[in-house]
Amino acid sequence: MNAESSRSHAVVILRLDRHVAATAKRKHQHLQSKLNLVDLAGSERITKSGATGETLKEAIAINQSLSMLGNVINALTDARAAAHIPYRSSKLTYLLEESLGGNSRTVMLAACSPSTRSYFETMNTLQYAVSAQTISVGG
């Protein structure tokens, strides 16, 4: 919510492959790992940020993708919604499908502000983190 804000999500995907040659005692092994590093743009209250024009469009798109990510997290934490998880509702949720609902370990760091001006944004971030913490796939 400032002029220097990047107003975008950043996703870096590292894929690691390991090939172990076959020997007389063991078969050939191929191991794969994938590391998703994601920096989510913060949700913006449009009236508070005063965004207009292109910046307004970017803020709306960011808020929509965060909302869709929230829908996926809610579906993963609700046993009744297990039949359909809306991973394909956005590019972000599609990219993060394996991290959220696959055979993976996920760590979330939440950036919070002690400022009273950012109280609602901080509370929303913490609620998001608590929801993500309750995801239990296959268990």
Side-chain angles (χ1 to χ4, degrees):
M1 292 195 322
N2 59 54
E4 293 81 29
S5 176
S6 66
R7 290 190 181 22
S8 65
H9 303 307
V11 179
V12 176
I13 300 172
L14 299 172
R15 183 178 164 178
L16 306 169
D17 289 306
R18 179 178 175 203
H19 293 274
V20 179
T23 65
K25 294 183 179 182
R26 72 169 178 244
K27 294 180 182 180
H28 172 264
Q29 289 183 333
H30 178 215
L31 304 172
Q32 292 181 328
S33 294
K34 188 166 134 180
L35 176 65
N36 292 331
L37 301 171
V38 181
D39 179 13
L40 297 175
S43 171
E44 290 191 11
R45 295 188 184 275
I46 304 302
T47 55
K48 202 181 218 188
S49 69
T52 58
E54 265 320 292
T55 305
L56 176 61
K57 288 179 187 177
E58 292 169 355
I60 290 170
I62 288 167
N63 289 348
Q64 285 177 336
S65 69
L66 290 172
S67 177
M68 291 176 198
L69 179 58
N71 291 342
V72 168
I73 290 171
N74 288 337
L76 287 168
T77 59
D78 184 3
R80 295 171 290 160
H84 175 70
I85 309 298
Y87 291 117
R88 294 184 183 214
S89 61
S90 76
K91 290 179 186 177
L92 178 65
T93 56
Y94 184 72
L95 280 173
L96 297 179
E97 179 176 355
E98 292 175 329
S99 295
L100 294 168
N103 180 18
S104 64
R105 293 191 178 136
T106 302
V107 175
M108 180 179 199
L109 301 176
C112 301
S113 172
S115 169
T116 55
R117 184 174 187 269
S118 301
Y119 174 80
F120 291 106
E121 289 81 3
T122 297
M123 289 305 296
N124 285 338
T125 298
L126 292 174
Q127 288 171 347
Y128 220 79
V130 167
S131 292
Q133 185 180 20
T134 61
I135 294 174
S136 176
V137 178

